[in-house]
Amino acid sequence: MLKRELIDTADIEGGETLELYSHGRDFMIVLGRNELMSTRMRFSEEQLADLTLERLEADAPRILIGGYGMGFTLRAALAKMGEGGEAVVAEISPKIVEWAKGAMADLTGECLSDPRLDLKICNVAALIDDANDGTCGKFDAILLDVDNGPDGMVRADNNRIYSSTGLGKARDALKLGGIVSVWSAAPDHGFRRRMKEAGFDVEERSVRSRPNNKGAHHTIWFGRKVR
């Protein structure tokens, strides 16, 4: 029977520690007893990109992705967007990028050297704050998967991204007709209400963690800026 093997750890704010494990051919990133992401369950993270880009009119959009993770969302976005598109990725932990280039290099492939990628080691909230010049937003879409959902489980500071104020800033950072999409491990009716109060037209989708209608149910909200 295969055992999980600890590869490396990464300290995050608040005294918590992320752990990277291998299990045979698979990898998983764990926080305490919670498995945050795994190569076995990637479909909903890929759908975050696929379903968002399907809803955009731009063939070569400029998108902001909050959280690199294992790169599932980024690789799906790069595969779907045109040659003139741009994917800005905000990843707060340098260790995550180190793991992507090291132990998980085969999974990462060439995505980190794609010329359409602008990878920044920072909090995505800082890029959202900087993306509005007072007249119009700079992104066609903002894709947020920086926690297990809008509850700040990994970092309490993530709560401000999903707050009414944070959602308002995300709306301001979008071009007219742009979309903010949010991944969550579970439904949250209060969050859907906050999105509407922030001025978005909201659509909610339940997607499975694995293809072929298998695995856990995850939630993605799509909020379109219509005014």
Side-chain angles (χ1 to χ4, degrees), residues 161-183:
I161 300 172
Y162 301 117
S163 69
S164 297
T165 299
L167 289 171
K169 289 184 177 182
R171 180 182 176 278
D172 290 342
L174 289 169
K175 299 176 184 178
L176 187 63
I179 291 174
V180 61
S181 52
V182 180
W183 182 95

Side-chain angles (χ1 to χ4, degrees), residues 25 31 155 167 196 212:
R25 296 180 179 178
L31 176 70
R155 295 179 66 246
L167 289 171
K196 288 183 175 180
N212 302 321

